[in-house]
Amino acid sequence: GNLNGARRLFDLSTTMLDQSPSKQARTRGFLTMHGMLSQWYRPFEFGLEGSKVGYLLGMECGDFDYALYHANHFIAFALVSPVGLTEVESDAAIFCQQMQDFNMETILTIALPSWQFCLNLIGDGIDDPARLSGEAMLLEEQEAI
């Protein structure tokens, strides 16, 4: 990847969003900034925090699609950050329930394996930790989609 290009685009996006009064624009811009650019040159915790802010902004302004896209990124960043696995699992359960509630099946399909992976790492109710089947999802059902 082009690290300098990622930083330049991130900085440009920051400048543009700082001038926008729209929470929806900030929510959508944050997805690009923290979901695709910042991890190339900043610690994952930075993207984690940006995803959390994007989620909160999206829920606040009613942009539930983008809020829950942020939630998916939050789960992924949290799994490779110093956040405790039980906290990640709890957040993932809430986010996936919201994805179901808002009928966001596509992003839910993407988020469920991360939630199940977290459950497997915790050792919660599984026979085979290498198999993505358990409380969050059944592998056979996901493969059928």
Side-chain angles (χ1 to χ4, degrees), residues 21-79:
S22 169
K23 287 183 181 180
Q24 185 179 35
R26 293 180 63 78
T27 298
R28 292 174 180 227
F30 272 33
L31 188 64
T32 299
M33 293 166 57
H34 296 287
M36 296 179 228
L37 297 172
S38 69
Q39 69 269 24
W40 288 101
Y41 65 93
R42 299 291 300 260
F44 278 120
E45 292 87 352
F46 186 76
L48 181 71
E49 184 60 30
S51 294
K52 183 178 184 179
V53 170
Y55 165 79
L56 294 171
L57 279 172
M59 294 304 277
E60 187 177 307
C61 74
D63 193 350
F64 304 121
D65 290 355
Y66 274 79
L68 294 169
Y69 292 143
H70 277 290
N72 180 60
H73 280 91
F74 182 88
I75 296 166
F77 286 135
L79 282 169

